[in-house]
Amino acid sequence: MSASLYKHPKHHVAVDCIIFGYEDDDLKLLLSQRRFQPALGEWSLMGGWVQDDETVEKAAERVLYQITGLKDIYLEQVHVFSNPDRDPGGRVISVVFYAMIRIDKHDKDLVKEHGAVWWTFSEKPDLIFDHELMVKYAHEKLKLRASYSLIGEKLLPERFTILQLRTLYEAIFQRQFDPGNFRKKILSLKVIEKLDDKNTTDSKKGAFYYRFKKYPEEFIQERIVKQ
Amino acid sequence: MSASLYKHPKHHVAVDCIIFGYEDDDLKLLLSQRRFQPALGEWSLMGGWVQDDETVEKAAERVLYQITGLKDIYLEQVHVFSNPDRDPGGRVISVVFYAMIRIDKHDKDLVKEHGAVWWTFSEKPDLIFDHELMVKYAHEKLKLRASYSLIGEKLLPERFTILQLRTLYEAIFQRQFDPGNFRKKILSLKVIEKLDDKNTTDSKKGAFYYRFKKYPEEFIQERIVKQ
DNA sequence: ACAAAAGTGTTTCGGCTACACCCATGC
DNA sequence: GCATGGGTGTAGCCGAAACACTTTTGT
C-alpha cells in the first residue's frame, strides 16, 4: 500500500459477526469463549481485526472462514459501534455483520477447535461489552430482511419441507404463522419448487420436499411478513 | 485514553455525511468543493476525521456543527465503505451518515465560508471517489425511513401545509401521490395537528397550516408508502 | 367565468386473516 | 378410531388506489 497523505488519528477497527444457523427446528447463534484478555473466558461474538489491505467485508469473510471452513457466506452490514470505552482493552471501532450459515455444511471440528458453540437463540448466555446490543440490532435486521424476501436458502438444507421453512420463520419472528396462509404466501412468490419425494419423518401423511429455484422467475420479491 | 492492549493494524476512519434539506419545493443536498489534495476543487460530501475520544456519531455531529452551526441534528448510519483503494490519498475507512437539516434554520454564512452549496437533489454534480454510491445508499435509506414513519419534522419549517408535505414526499420518492389519498393517509396517523391560520400564497382558497404534535398519541406509526 | 388548489366522499380491488374442511397415515 | 400434520377452499375485513365532486377565491 502507498503511504498516506493524511495526518490524522488512526484506530483499531474490528469486525464482529452474529452468525445465525438453523438446526433442530430452532434458530441458532455461534458464540465463542474469549481466549485473551480482557474478559477471558466470557462469551462473545466471533470477531477479528481489519487488516491494511482488506475491506471490512473481507475481514468478516476471513473470520467466518477461519471458524467454519466456509466461503461465500451471506453477510450483511448491521451497524458500527464506536463508543471509545466500549472495549476495556482499548479504543476499538467495531463494524458488525450478521451471517447466515448452513449448519449441515460447516466444519464442526474447526468450530470445536476454536471453542465455539452453537447456542439456541432464545437460550444464549449473556455476552461481553456491547455484544448484547449488537445481537439485538442484527436480529432486527434479520427480521427486516426476512420480511422483505424469502430467506432460508442460506440456513436450511438443500431440500426442506414447508413446515421447516415455517418453523424457521417462527423462530426468527418469535411468533406463530397460520400453516395454510404461510404455505399459500410462500408458494405465490414462486421462488421454491416442489421435488418428487416426501419427508415422512415429521408427519404421517408425508410432506413434499422443496428447494430454492436456481433462477426464480421473479427476482424482485414481494413483502412477506407485515411487522 | 488509556494505552491499548492490542497490537494490530490501525486505520484512518472518516465520516461522510449526506445532508438533506428542503427548500423551494425540492429536496436538496449540501455539497462542498474539496480544499485539499487529492481531488482538490471537485465536489464531494461533507466529511471529517474520527478523533480518539469520540464515536462516529459525535464526529458526524461535529462536522455538521462546523458547517451549519446546528446541533441536535437528525442522523442515521447508512453504511461503511472500506475498499482499500477508495481514496487515492490513502487507506481510509468511511462511515456514512445521512442527516436532515431545516434549511431555514441553518447558518448560511457559515456554509458559504466553507465553500458549500445546496444542490437540488436531481441536479447535483458528479461526486468524487465512491461518494456517488454513498448518496445512492443514503437515498434508499431515506426512502425506507420515510415509508415507515412520517418524516418532515426535520426538514420542513415549523408550520407547513399538507401540500408542502406531499411535495416533500414526491421529491423523496420521485413520483406523484394522489392529493386526496395522501391527505387522508397522513391525517390518519395523528402525528400532525391543524393550526388556526391559512397559507394563502400557494392557493386561492388557502390551506390550513399544520405542525408536528409535540407528543403524538401513537408513537408507533404505521407504514406510509408501499415501495 | 375560469383555473387551481383545498378538501370530502365513493367505489373497486387485492391481499391478509381466520377458520372450516378433507386427506393420508401411523399408532 | 383418532390424532397429527398436509394441503385446499372460502368469507370477511381493511387499506390502497382511482377518481368524482364540491368549495373557495384570485385573476
Side-chain angles (χ1 to χ4, degrees):
Chain A
M1 215 193 83
S2 59
S4 181
L5 293 178
Y6 304 123
K7 297 282 171 268
H8 293 282
K10 290 179 131 193
H11 310 276
H12 284 120
V13 179
V15 292
D16 284 299
C17 300
I18 290 90
I19 307 172
F20 290 110
Y22 185 71
E23 203 177 39
D24 303 330
D25 301 341
D26 252 321
L27 189 65
K28 306 274 182 175
L29 220 50
L30 188 59
L31 302 173
S32 78
Q33 279 177 297
R34 297 258 292 193
R35 299 189 154 181
F36 51 91
Q37 289 294 1
L40 192 147
E42 292 186 55
W43 290 98
S44 79
L45 297 170
M46 314 294 309
W49 302 98
V50 175
Q51 305 299 315
D52 282 329
D53 58 346
E54 63 182 6
T55 62
V56 290
E57 282 78 14
K58 275 266 180 239
E61 281 166 23
R62 188 168 46 72
V63 166
L64 289 169
Y65 179 68
Q66 284 165 5
I67 190 113
T68 66
L70 296 174
K71 297 197 171 190
D72 294 321
I73 288 175
Y74 180 85
L75 275 173
E76 200 168 322
Q77 273 192 29
V78 173
H79 199 75
V80 177
F81 291 78
S82 59
N83 190 312
D85 307 316
R86 55 171 292 280
D87 184 331
R91 202 274 155 85
V92 179
I93 295 174
S94 172
V95 183
V96 173
F97 288 84
Y98 80 82
M100 293 194 273
I101 295 281
R102 288 267 303 275
I103 294 190
D104 61 320
K105 268 196 169 178
H106 84 297
D107 188 332
K108 285 175 200 287
D109 298 331
L110 208 53
V111 163
K112 192 174 273 178
E113 229 172 78
H114 282 81
V117 174
W118 284 101
W119 286 81
T120 296
F121 184 71
S122 53
E123 298 164 2
K124 70 160 187 56
D126 288 338
L127 305 178
I128 58 164
F129 310 164
D130 48 5
H131 288 201
E132 284 292 331
L133 193 58
M134 292 177 176
V135 170
K136 204 175 154 194
Y137 273 62
H139 185 213
E140 286 304 318
K141 197 114 187 181
L142 177 67
K143 283 198 280 186
L144 194 65
R145 173 84 168 74
S147 72
Y148 273 105
S149 64
L150 189 62
I151 65 168
E153 190 165 15
K154 315 293 180 188
L155 290 167
L156 297 169
E158 205 74 49
R159 296 143 35 87
F160 53 88
T161 64
I162 293 197
L163 172 59
Q164 285 177 286
L165 189 58
R166 177 162 57 86
T167 311
L168 169 63
Y169 264 77
E170 293 183 337
I172 290 173
F173 286 94
Q174 312 267 42
R175 71 177 184 91
Q176 305 291 110
F177 291 95
D178 180 279
N181 294 338
F182 186 84
R183 148 187 301 277
K184 274 176 286 186
K185 177 68 190 170
I186 267 49
L187 292 179
S188 76
L189 300 173
K190 308 205 171 171
V191 290
I192 61 174
E193 58 190 357
K194 195 196 272 189
L195 301 179
D196 290 332
D197 51 343
K198 287 183 165 186
N199 165 312
T200 49
T201 58
D202 288 344
S203 83
K204 334 272 172 162
K205 184 179 175 182
F208 280 106
Y209 281 113
Y210 285 79
R211 71 169 169 218
F212 279 84
K213 290 186 190 172
K214 289 283 168 279
Y215 304 103
E217 281 117 56
E218 307 172 27
F219 280 86
I220 298 152
Q221 288 184 35
E222 302 155 51
R223 190 170 185 74
I224 294 171
V225 177
K226 248 177 97 172
Q227 290 204 56
Chain B
M1 210 192 84
S2 59
S4 181
L5 293 178
Y6 305 123
K7 297 282 170 268
H8 293 282
K10 289 179 133 194
H11 310 278
H12 284 120
V13 179
V15 292
D16 284 300
C17 301
I18 290 90
I19 307 172
F20 290 110
Y22 184 73
E23 203 177 39
D24 303 330
D25 301 341
D26 251 322
L27 189 65
K28 306 276 180 174
L29 220 50
L30 188 58
L31 301 172
S32 78
Q33 278 178 298
R34 298 258 292 192
R35 299 189 155 180
F36 51 92
Q37 287 294 0
L40 191 147
E42 291 186 55
W43 290 99
S44 78
L45 297 171
M46 313 294 309
W49 302 98
V50 176
Q51 304 300 314
D52 281 330
D53 59 345
E54 64 182 6
T55 62
V56 290
E57 282 79 12
K58 274 266 177 239
E61 281 166 23
R62 187 169 44 73
V63 167
L64 289 169
Y65 179 68
Q66 284 165 4
I67 190 114
T68 66
L70 296 174
K71 297 197 172 188
D72 294 321
I73 289 175
Y74 179 85
L75 274 173
E76 201 168 321
Q77 273 192 29
V78 174
H79 200 75
V80 176
F81 291 79
S82 60
N83 190 313
D85 308 317
R86 56 170 290 281
D87 184 330
R91 202 272 154 88
V92 179
I93 295 174
S94 171
V95 183
V96 173
F97 288 84
Y98 80 82
M100 293 194 273
I101 294 281
R102 287 266 303 275
I103 293 189
D104 61 321
K105 269 195 168 179
H106 85 298
D107 187 333
K108 285 177 201 285
D109 298 332
L110 208 53
V111 163
K112 191 174 273 180
E113 229 172 79
H114 281 80
V117 175
W118 285 102
W119 286 81
T120 296
F121 184 71
S122 54
E123 297 163 3
K124 69 162 189 54
D126 288 340
L127 305 178
I128 57 165
F129 310 164
D130 47 5
H131 288 201
E132 283 291 332
L133 193 57
M134 292 177 176
V135 170
K136 204 175 155 192
Y137 273 61
H139 186 212
E140 287 304 319
K141 197 114 187 182
L142 177 67
K143 283 198 280 186
L144 195 65
R145 173 84 168 74
S147 72
Y148 272 105
S149 64
L150 188 61
I151 66 168
E153 191 165 14
K154 316 292 180 188
L155 289 168
L156 296 170
E158 206 74 49
R159 297 143 34 87
F160 54 88
T161 63
I162 293 195
L163 173 59
Q164 285 177 284
L165 189 58
R166 178 162 56 86
T167 311
L168 169 62
Y169 264 77
E170 293 184 337
I172 289 172
F173 287 93
Q174 312 267 45
R175 71 177 183 89
Q176 304 294 110
F177 291 95
D178 179 279
N181 293 338
F182 186 84
R183 149 186 300 277
K184 273 176 286 185
K185 177 68 192 172
I186 266 51
L187 293 179
S188 75
L189 300 173
K190 309 203 170 174
V191 291
I192 62 173
E193 58 191 356
K194 195 196 272 191
L195 300 178
D196 289 332
D197 51 342
K198 289 183 164 185
N199 165 313
T200 49
T201 58
D202 289 343
S203 83
K204 335 271 174 164
K205 184 178 173 184
F208 280 105
Y209 281 112
Y210 285 79
R211 71 169 169 218
F212 280 85
K213 289 185 190 172
K214 289 282 168 281
Y215 304 103
E217 281 116 55
E218 307 171 27
F219 281 85
I220 298 153
Q221 288 184 36
E222 304 155 50
R223 190 170 184 74
I224 295 171
V225 177
K226 249 177 97 172
Q227 290 205 57

